[in-house]
Amino acid sequence: MKYDSEYYTLEESGDSTSYMLNQIEGSDDGLERLMSLFPIHRKVLGPGRVGISEGNRAKFQPCDYHETAEQLVSEKFRQVLAPFNLPGVDFYQTNIVNGDKIWSEHYYMHIWNHHQAIHKKRSEISGTYVGDRFTLLKLSLDEEVLDQVPLEKRLVFRLREDPTFLFHESVVAALSAADLSGLGFRRVDSWSIGSAFEEDDDFYDDL
């Protein structure tokens, strides 16, 4: 269970939660494969386009993080991650469009670095591990798997079995120090499928 206290999930917080953003017409067709586990840079030929599907458009100002079907981050967010030289993490320039206003310094973050790291006995699921046909209810990470992976190759990764993205505490510390808007983190050992809807004033769990 040692890694359950070292890794965090990324969640919306603050003003970001007041809006829902989605891809709109004109977004590059290659970005439809963004949730793929594989690199897609050869599929993407132009920028993405995102519009507001829910929320007060008149008051909208972009945050540094918006949880879309993918993960939409600002240039400031991207620059915090740059020194880590993260393997299997790509950024695709994406415009946020709101009427005649366009914000161009945002990116879809595609995480295709993945590890099969769910501890099957300690985690809780609804469904079956066979063919990965399950919904993850509570997560515990498999130390035997992650012990075999050098830290620099698992600072940020996606679970191979499930589209859950995990951030190492060192990356979280850098992001939290950058005073970014619209995001919070929840440590794996306090995460559950319903935790995003719980009142929690301490996303960062004493980093």
Side-chain angles (χ1 to χ4, degrees):
M1 299 178 64
K2 65 179 182 179
Y3 292 114
D4 296 356
S5 61
E6 292 184 15
Y7 281 91
Y8 293 72
T9 61
L10 176 60
E11 300 179 355
E12 283 187 315
S13 180
D15 291 341
S16 183
T17 62
S18 301
Y19 295 90
M20 182 176 293
L21 278 61
N22 293 297
Q23 285 193 52
I24 59 175
E25 185 176 355
S27 188
D28 187 88
D29 291 342
L31 292 176
E32 293 179 2
R33 297 188 60 193
L34 202 63
M35 293 298 289
S36 166
L37 286 177
F38 305 102
I40 61 169
H41 61 276
R42 293 182 180 178
K43 300 287 184 179
V44 180
L45 304 178
R49 281 172 59 87
V50 169
I52 302 167
S53 57
E54 291 187 18
N56 188 332
R57 290 176 171 80
K59 295 183 177 180
F60 176 77
Q61 289 293 326
C63 294
D64 292 302
Y65 175 72
H66 288 278
E67 187 175 296
T68 65
E70 297 80 24
Q71 299 186 86
L72 186 66
V73 304
S74 68
E75 171 65 13
K76 185 177 179 181
F77 186 113
R78 189 175 75 95
Q79 288 299 326
V80 173
L81 295 189
F84 290 98
N85 296 310
L86 300 171
V89 179
D90 296 331
F91 296 90
Y92 298 94
Q93 193 270 316
T94 298
N95 296 325
I96 300 177
V97 181
N98 183 23
D100 59 355
K101 294 183 179 179
I102 298 176
W103 292 270
S104 59
E105 293 191 351
H106 280 73
Y107 300 82
Y108 273 139
M109 180 169 59
H110 175 44
I111 300 171
W112 51 275
N113 178 35
H114 57 93
H115 301 290
Q116 192 166 345
I118 292 178
H119 194 288
K120 293 182 177 180
K121 291 184 178 180
R122 294 197 302 259
S123 300
E124 297 178 16
I125 65 169
S126 174
T128 175
Y129 284 117
V130 178
D132 295 334
R133 296 189 297 272
F134 65 87
T135 299
L136 189 62
L137 304 179
K138 192 171 179 62
L139 174 62
S140 184
L141 296 172
D142 191 331
E143 56 271 18
E144 291 187 9
V145 172
L146 294 180
D147 279 346
Q148 304 304 312
V149 183
L151 177 59
E152 64 270 18
K153 295 185 177 180
R154 54 175 171 82
L155 289 170
V156 175
F157 70 94
R158 172 182 168 176
L159 292 173
R160 175 65 180 84
E161 311 94 321
D162 183 85
T164 295
F165 305 103
L166 298 175
F167 295 73
H168 187 262
E169 59 187 3
S170 59
V171 178
V172 172
L175 290 168
S176 62
D179 193 28
L180 300 172
S181 63
L183 72 159
F185 291 86
R186 192 176 300 273
R187 210 166 66 185
V188 165
D189 56 11
S190 65
W191 179 91
S192 69
I193 192 172
S195 59
F197 304 102
E198 298 172 358
E199 293 291 333
D200 189 347
D201 295 328
D202 188 13
F203 270 134
Y204 295 96
D205 283 274
D206 300 324
L207 278 175

